[in-house]
Amino acid sequence: MALNTVHKYSILPPDQPLEKGDLPVPAVRSISALEATSGPLAAVWRGQALASRSGPVLASGHAALDAQLPGGGWPLDAMVELLQPSAGQPFWQLLLPALVQSLDQQRGPVVLVAPPHAPFSPALAAQGLQADRLLCIRAERPAERLWAAEQALRCADVPAVLAWLPHEPHVRDDAMRRLQLAGSDRPRLLFALRPLQAEAGGSPARLRLALETDGDSLQVRIVKRRGPPCVQPIPVPARAARLQALLATRGVPPARVEPARVRPPHEPIALSGVPVALGMPAAARSIAPAAVPLAARGAAHALDRTAAA
């Protein structure tokens, strides 16, 4: 004879009585009653709401993205899956603020497992991620990459692990679940970077993001999270602020060059409002242009405009 079991916190229709064999325990009669309860039921996540913090998180450094992430940041006890159209797509600006924060909490290096390209350390160092805090592991086969990532996660001093993994035919689901469990042992960042084709398949990752770039910004589309669907992608800068300011000057047209005029031999030359005669000493004439303000010389070069700003 089959026995019907009612769990301690279950939802029953208001007019449904307990059948024979059911346990006489309190049950929630409606969703509204569940939302109004306190105590253990207050921690129950409702699918139509963004999940609250269920574990330690670290702010991503992007306010618009944090507002859409459960708990308000990157989870430190779960795997985050980043889906990219190509392995060479820029993503460092998305992760750098959190990686720099994590270095203050742990003394070990940020581990990169099978990166497709060597990171440009001077650019990363300029934003706080020094080269001596990076550890790159070369691994070709998917099994080797997964093994290296798991070993790095077992190191107590490692603050973050970034692992580049291939598509599903080369990575089994049980291997991804094992990596997810390894990332939940200690509070640290774990990012699995995979091809965009993996979006169609399942994943044990708690958070999945698809990254696409349009040149100046990185469009972050939330594929999976504990909460309602996020329809609109979230823009994140694709380049460092200083580099973006320099590249913005490419659209500035060059200053107009006036045709040279034949000057009479005894006509004085006016520099910054001070007439300088041709007969003055050469040393004095050589230092005169340095006294001309940069703004008075005009936008002759893109670097001059950047320096003036």
Side-chain angles (χ1 to χ4, degrees):
M1 181 179 63
L3 296 179
N4 297 323
T5 302
V6 178
H7 296 282
K8 183 176 181 181
Y9 301 110
S10 59
I11 301 176
L12 296 177
D15 55 348
Q16 179 179 344
L18 293 177
E19 299 179 358
K20 183 178 180 180
D22 290 339
L23 300 179
V25 295
V28 180
R29 295 292 177 176
S30 65
I31 294 294
S32 59
L34 175 63
E35 295 177 346
T37 55
S38 59
L41 290 183
V44 175
W45 167 58
R46 275 79 69 184
Q48 74 275 14
L50 190 63
S52 59
R53 181 181 303 181
S54 59
V57 297
L58 186 63
S60 69
H62 310 282
L65 180 60
D66 286 340
Q68 300 297 330
L69 295 180
W74 300 120
L76 293 177
D77 59 348
M79 178 174 59
V80 179
E81 193 171 353
L82 304 180
L83 307 174
Q84 300 178 286
S86 61
Q89 188 181 29
F91 68 94
W92 284 105
Q93 292 305 126
L94 174 65
L95 305 183
L96 265 176
L99 293 178
V100 173
Q101 293 181 65
S102 67
L103 293 177
D104 298 334
Q105 303 175 5
Q106 302 286 347
R107 60 183 182 180
V110 173
V111 178
L112 311 179
V113 179
H117 307 288
F120 187 56
S121 55
L124 298 181
Q127 301 182 71
L129 183 56
Q130 302 299 327
D132 58 353
R133 301 298 300 273
L134 287 175
L135 177 61
C136 295
I137 300 178
R138 295 181 180 179
E140 296 296 334
R141 295 186 303 171
E144 296 174 347
R145 300 183 184 187
L146 291 167
W147 181 86
E150 290 183 29
Q151 299 305 311
L153 291 170
R154 291 195 176 101
C155 298
D157 293 335
V158 170
V161 176
L162 282 68
W164 279 260
L165 302 175
H167 191 27
E168 274 91 348
H170 305 286
V171 178
R172 296 172 52 182
D173 292 340
D174 57 346
M176 294 296 295
R177 288 193 294 267
R178 189 168 59 249
L179 186 63
Q180 159 73 12
L181 290 175
S184 61
D185 289 342
R186 296 185 179 91
R188 71 190 66 225
L189 294 170
L190 171 59
F191 296 98
L193 295 94
R194 308 184 67 190
L196 189 59
Q197 297 86 340
E199 179 181 352
S203 173
R206 185 187 303 174
L207 180 64
R208 304 182 78 191
L209 307 178
L211 311 180
E212 297 181 2
T213 180
D214 58 2
D216 294 334
S217 65
L218 189 66
Q219 301 296 324
V220 180
R221 180 168 52 88
I222 299 180
V223 178
K224 175 184 177 182
R225 66 173 179 177
R226 289 184 175 178
C230 185
V231 181
Q232 297 296 331
I234 305 166
V236 173
R239 303 185 183 96
R242 294 170 60 183
L243 178 59
Q244 186 65 31
L246 180 61
L247 295 178
T249 59
R250 293 180 302 177
V252 179
R256 182 181 178 184
V257 179
E258 298 293 340
R261 183 178 64 90
V262 180
R263 186 180 295 107
H266 298 291
E267 180 181 274
I269 304 174
L271 291 176
S272 188
V274 180
V276 181
L278 290 177
M280 69 185 301
R285 290 201 306 268
S286 64
I287 65 174
V292 181
L294 184 61
R297 283 185 275 167
H301 196 277
L303 294 180
D304 290 340
R305 293 179 59 84
T306 304

